[in-house]
Amino acid sequence: MRIGVIGTGSIAVWFMESARLVKGVSFDAVYSRRLETGNAFAKANNIEKVYIDLDAMLNDEDLDVIYIASPNSLHYSQAKMALEHGKHVMLEKPFVGNVEKAETLIALAKEKELFLFETICNIHMPHMKYIENRIQELGQIRMIQCNYSQYSSRYDALLRGENPNIFNPEMSGGALMDLNIYNIHFAVYLFGLPKSIHYAANLHENGVDTSGVLVLDYGDYKASLIGAKDSASYNIGQIQGEKGHIQIPNGVSNMESVILTTEETKKDVVEQEMPRLYYQVEAFKAMVDKKDYKTRDLFLEHSLNVVKVAAEALKQIGLEYEF
């Protein structure tokens, strides 16, 4: 699996470090708008080819897959362009900002028999399968709680009057799309689409959400999802049932460990073995190798459901990201 990278930020570096642990994966090219930035990134990360023309990289026949780690607002246009050039696509979270564009990408991937995949780590970890297999031991689910709060160094810049991408509405920034999106993936993967949602957020004067609480109403049980970039906390994930609970210390974005507690099992602690970004690449490569379109479609349906929840939440606070 020979990959071309779009984006030279820290997430791309972390992704490559884990992806290279998967047998048969290589990173052979990088695209950057500036040659100096591309050359520096390629040298630091042992990448052979540097492109400053995206169309030229997408026409490189030596590349099978394009990994997109650019700002959120570019996800749709770049993923569409890569699919139109016949490349499989690994698209960093968040997938895209509205349902129409998500459906357009999904339809294009299916039409061209290509693999389109959102690189969201937590749903592909062994811990998620463990939770799926054991959750019935909790009895009737009553509450789901997830908190992913991390004070952003760029929040200080925002307060100084600057406009960093991560807090820029025009770049599809904000706490929900950057952090709370992990919590949404966790809840929607396990429990599906809620009956209704309500998003209450702290807004900067530019309209972007710097923190917020997203409530998903499933009827007999509720999920409270917190994401904050203007404050920090102890991050955690919890699923509470009438017969026990599951705890995920340090939050559902990392899924470092899972603790199941019931009257029968008392306490069962499961630790993670590989780096958290490893498992999503392993899952993607397995799909491509086996031409497993059924699994592709299941994950694309999940990503579309997450887009539906996120888009509705943003709409409630006056943000509609058209990308």
Side-chain angles (χ1 to χ4, degrees):
M1 197 162 77
R2 302 163 299 179
I3 304 174
V5 179
I6 300 176
T8 56
S10 56
I11 184 60
V13 176
W14 300 333
F15 178 84
M16 288 190 298
E17 288 174 352
S18 296
R20 281 173 166 154
L21 299 175
V22 179
K23 185 177 180 181
V25 170
S26 66
F27 291 87
D28 298 348
V30 61
Y31 162 77
S32 175
R33 289 175 299 173
R34 297 175 60 245
L35 183 60
E36 311 86 73
T37 304
N39 283 337
F41 184 87
K43 182 178 180 180
N45 295 284
N46 194 28
I47 294 175
E48 181 181 352
K49 301 177 185 177
V50 177
Y51 289 95
I52 56 173
D53 182 335
L54 181 55
D55 191 66
M57 186 173 84
L58 296 178
N59 281 315
D60 187 336
E61 296 182 356
D62 292 333
L63 301 177
D64 309 304
V65 179
I66 301 300
Y67 167 63
I68 299 173
S70 53
N72 297 346
S73 59
L74 299 175
H75 283 191
Y76 171 75
S77 60
Q78 291 177 341
K80 185 172 183 288
M81 190 175 178
L83 290 169
E84 288 172 341
H85 279 74
K87 305 296 187 185
H88 304 304
V89 173
M90 301 183 77
L91 182 59
E92 263 299 335
K93 63 82 188 170
F95 195 60
V96 292
N98 68 63
V99 174
E100 179 183 355
K101 287 184 168 55
E103 290 175 337
T104 297
L105 289 183
I106 291 169
L108 183 59
K110 291 180 178 181
E111 175 191 334
K112 291 183 168 291
E113 296 187 341
L114 293 167
F115 286 88
L116 170 65
F117 182 84
E118 182 178 10
T119 56
I120 180 75
C121 57
N122 56 1
I123 66 172
H124 299 286
M125 292 180 184
H127 284 162
M128 188 63 86
K129 183 59 66 177
Y130 173 86
I131 293 171
E132 284 186 277
N133 291 338
R134 304 293 297 272
I135 196 170
Q136 71 277 0
E137 298 175 33
L138 305 183
Q140 173 62 53
I141 302 300
R142 289 304 184 192
M143 295 295 295
I144 301 103
Q145 303 172 56
C146 298
N147 189 335
Y148 187 8
S149 297
Q150 181 176 291
Y151 189 89
S152 172
S153 59
R154 285 175 257 184
Y155 182 62
D156 293 333
L158 182 70
L159 295 179
R160 292 194 300 267
E162 299 174 27
N163 198 23
N165 285 348
I166 203 64
F167 290 110
N168 185 348
E170 293 183 3
M171 301 301 287
S172 306
L176 185 136
M177 295 297 268
D178 187 47
L179 299 183
N180 219 352
I181 200 76
Y182 287 97
N183 299 331
I184 299 172
H185 271 281
F186 178 82
V188 170
Y189 183 82
L190 289 173
F191 305 106
L193 285 171
K195 295 179 182 297
S196 63
I197 76 170
H198 176 69
Y199 188 43
N202 294 315
L203 304 179
H204 186 259
E205 61 185 21
N206 69 358
V208 81
D209 56 322
T210 58
S211 56
V213 182
L214 177 63
V215 177
L216 309 183
D217 189 338
Y218 286 95
D220 292 337
Y221 54 97
K222 321 296 179 192
S224 172
L225 313 180
I226 296 175
K229 295 182 70 64
D230 55 10
S231 55
S233 76
Y234 177 76
N235 296 321
I236 194 168
Q238 291 192 108
I239 305 172
Q240 299 170 214
E242 292 178 350
K243 295 183 179 180
H245 66 274
I246 288 174
Q247 181 182 5
I248 302 118
N250 298 320
V252 302
S253 64
N254 292 317
M255 299 274 283
E256 294 172 356
S257 62
V258 175
I259 304 170
L260 169 69
T261 303
T262 67
E263 288 185 4
E264 288 76 18
T265 61
K266 299 302 182 184
K267 185 174 288 189
D268 186 21
V269 182
V270 182
E271 301 290 342
Q272 177 181 297
E273 296 180 0
M274 299 297 286
R276 70 187 186 103
L277 302 185
Y278 169 89
Y279 300 103
Q280 58 188 347
V281 183
E282 182 183 52
F284 178 73
K285 188 173 187 299
M287 280 191 291
V288 173
D289 289 348
K290 298 174 184 177
K291 298 188 184 303
D292 185 354
Y293 296 108
K294 182 178 179 180
T295 301
R296 174 202 65 180
D297 293 347
L298 288 173
F299 283 122
L300 286 175
E301 181 181 4
H302 166 74
S303 289
L304 179 60
N305 286 339
V306 170
V307 171
K308 290 177 179 178
V309 171
E312 172 58 26
L314 292 171
K315 184 178 179 180
Q316 290 182 9
I317 60 170
L319 290 174
E320 293 188 64
Y321 289 156
E322 295 299 328
F323 282 20

